[in-house]
Amino acid sequence: MIYFLIFISAIFVNNIVLSQFLGICPFLGVSKKIDTALGMGAAVTFVLTLATVVTYLLQKLLVMWNVAFLQTILFILVIAALVQMIEIIIKKISPSLYQALGVFLPLITTNCCLLGVAILVANGTNKLPMGADHNLLTGTLFAFATALGFSLALVLFAGIREQLSMNKIPKAMEGTPIALLTAGLLAMAFMGFSGVV
């Protein structure tokens, strides 16, 4: 039951984009079409889950060697290296998947959502339901669910933006203003989940 609560909490209640405001750049930048939002969401889900496992284990070594102050710089390097390795592996194994992901893999390197979740899980400061222990299993589940929540918010926002592009919008509200207003309304809608877990 606790794993289900972690899953629901990370996706809906504590959505990384809409309640914690991490990953706003890709949220606003890659959300003009649903297919690009799906590609970015899939890439973030894979990389975030893998990066969280690696950085969690790295944090244990940093604490053991009493050099935890190197956490941020090492996590950035690990995430960048993971993205590069994944890009090379996918290019060799599946060129069609590599073409489908396109620019999304390099964009993930600069996504603050990855670094934020990795630090939250490694430090044990991620918001887990009462009774949940901060360990590798719950951290990995939290990271996976957080990435799914990021993907859900991205796809919903892309769908709304596609619909808005077909409507007549006042000149002063076109582009960024209507996107920010829509993001705010979507964040308010997700606030309705705040009492669930």
Side-chain angles (χ1 to χ4, degrees), residues 2 24 28 32 35-37 40 60 64 67-68 76 81 85 99 104 110 112 118-120 125 127 133 142 168 182 194:
I2 198 71
I24 295 291
L28 292 174
K32 292 184 179 163
D35 56 340
T36 57
M40 182 64 155
K60 295 297 181 190
M64 184 176 25
V67 289
I76 290 170
M85 283 191 320
Q99 291 295 327
F104 299 126
T110 59
C112 62
I119 289 174
L120 287 173
T125 55
K127 296 178 182 176
D133 294 328
F142 174 80
K168 188 169 174 68
T182 305
S194 62

Side-chain angles (χ1 to χ4, degrees), residues 81-103:
L82 277 174
V83 170
Q84 291 303 313
M85 283 191 320
I86 290 167
E87 188 173 3
I88 291 167
I89 291 169
I90 289 176
K91 191 175 185 178
K92 294 279 185 194
I93 294 174
S94 176
S96 60
L97 178 61
Y98 178 75
Q99 291 295 327
L101 289 175
V103 73

Side-chain angles (χ1 to χ4, degrees), residues 7-146:
F7 206 74
I8 296 300
S9 172
I11 292 174
F12 298 109
V13 179
N14 298 316
N15 189 286
I16 199 76
V17 177
L18 300 174
S19 70
Q20 297 182 15
F21 307 111
L22 289 173
I24 295 291
C25 292
F27 180 70
L28 292 174
V30 188
S31 61
K32 292 184 179 163
K33 294 188 178 190
I34 292 178
D35 56 340
T36 57
L38 283 170
M40 182 64 155
V44 166
T45 302
F46 180 69
V47 173
L48 181 59
T49 306
L50 184 62
T52 301
V53 171
V54 172
T55 55
Y56 182 88
L57 297 173
L58 179 63
Q59 177 69 14
K60 295 297 181 190
L61 292 174
L62 292 175
V63 169
M64 184 176 25
W65 294 333
N66 202 20
V67 289
F69 59 90
L70 294 173
Q71 177 190 53
T72 304
I73 191 71
L74 286 178
F75 282 16
I76 290 170
L77 291 173
V78 164
I79 290 169
L82 277 174
V83 170
Q84 291 303 313
M85 283 191 320
I86 290 167
E87 188 173 3
I88 291 167
I89 291 169
I90 289 176
K91 191 175 185 178
K92 294 279 185 194
I93 294 174
S94 176
S96 60
L97 178 61
Y98 178 75
Q99 291 295 327
L101 289 175
V103 73
F104 299 126
L105 280 174
L107 278 176
I108 291 173
T109 306
T110 59
N111 188 347
C112 62
C113 174
L114 271 87
L115 181 62
V117 171
I119 289 174
L120 287 173
V121 170
N123 291 342
T125 55
N126 50 327
K127 296 178 182 176
L128 295 179
M130 294 290 289
D133 294 328
H134 290 279
N135 56 35
L136 183 59
L137 178 62
T138 58
T140 305
L141 180 64
F142 174 80
F144 179 70
T146 298

